[in-house]
Amino acid sequence: MSISEALRALVEPSQRLQVLSSLQEPILSGYRDNSQMEDALRSLAASYPSITHLYSIGRSVQGKELWVLAISDRANVHEPGEPEMKIVGNIHGDEVVGREMSLLLVEYLCKNYGHDALISQLVDETRIHVLASLNPDGFAMKTRENAHGIDLNRNFPDLLLGIDPPSQEPETEAVMLWVRHNPFVLSMPSP
């Protein structure tokens, strides 16, 4: 489901214009660099501590943290029976729209929790983990690949085809470990 489809499903028709206009300023002002992305995530975690948990799943080749913002009414704990989902953005460093849309999504969820019944229900009944940038090095270098020149999307084992790359990059290893330790029931790339 795309962000626009999600917004249509979650927002009353009378509120759509307000939601879309609130998203235009960040979109028109350009993309946030890695430090601005980290600052935005830290700011959200500090501003909404009752529904967020900011954590790192590892580091990129160049040592940049791979930040995840979890959003839920008990964001730092797995609650049995509550579905967990993950959204991963910016697997390719030069595909930046999904990264920015992931940031806008977490901002929207945080700012509307407690004010919008559907958003509040979603946050209360789901634990949403958002990794806005899997490839912060590629983003900084404006290239598809990571700092080792590897396409991270092709660096995961494919159990169906029996393809297992000879070695995984640190970003790939971090996601694989993250998935092993969290019972995600839904995974989606950022829009």
Side-chain angles (χ1 to χ4, degrees):
M1 175 183 292
S2 71
I3 289 291
S4 62
E5 291 169 330
L7 285 173
R8 279 195 288 279
L10 296 174
V11 180
E12 293 293 321
S14 62
Q15 296 176 327
R16 286 188 195 143
L17 184 58
Q18 177 186 353
V19 169
L20 293 174
S21 64
S22 73
L23 296 178
Q24 287 177 1
E25 186 177 329
I27 292 171
L28 295 175
S29 65
Y31 301 113
R32 292 172 259 204
D33 65 23
N34 287 322
S35 64
Q36 291 169 324
M37 177 189 70
E38 182 177 342
D39 289 347
L41 293 171
R42 286 186 183 281
S43 176
L44 286 168
S47 298
Y48 302 94
S50 65
I51 60 164
T52 62
H53 174 61
L54 181 63
Y55 64 98
S56 172
I57 62 168
R59 292 181 179 267
S60 68
V61 169
Q62 294 180 340
K64 294 178 182 75
E65 295 284 354
L66 302 175
W67 291 112
V68 174
L69 188 66
I71 302 173
S72 185
D73 60 337
R74 295 185 63 202
N76 61 341
V77 205
H78 169 67
E79 296 181 77
E82 182 171 277
E84 304 218 14
M85 68 175 292
K86 68 179 174 64
I87 298 172
V88 178
N90 205 204
I91 293 173
H92 297 131
D94 60 355
E95 294 176 358
V96 299
V97 173
R99 168 187 163 121
E100 196 64 31
M101 292 303 294
S102 296
L103 293 170
L104 292 170
L105 174 64
V106 295
E107 289 171 358
Y108 183 80
L109 293 173
C110 289
K111 290 177 180 177
N112 287 283
Y113 180 76
H115 303 288
D116 180 291
L118 288 172
I119 296 298
S120 298
Q121 181 181 4
L122 178 67
V123 170
D124 287 341
E125 297 179 5
T126 312
R127 190 168 173 222
I128 305 163
H129 303 254
V130 180
L131 171 60
S133 183
L134 176 58
N135 191 356
D137 299 344
F139 174 83
M141 298 182 308
K142 297 177 178 62
T143 181
R144 178 181 182 91
E145 297 82 13
N146 72 352
H148 282 158
I150 302 295
D151 181 343
L152 295 176
N153 201 39
R154 306 282 184 260
N155 193 237
F156 290 92
D158 186 327
L159 301 177
L160 293 176
L161 296 177
I163 299 170
D164 193 6
S167 64
Q168 269 77 44
E169 292 296 295
E171 300 93 340
T172 309
E173 287 179 353
V175 168
M176 290 169 59
L177 188 61
W178 183 43
V179 168
R180 282 188 202 115
H181 288 98
N182 289 282
F184 297 118
V185 297
L186 177 64
S187 176
M188 56 187 278
S190 63

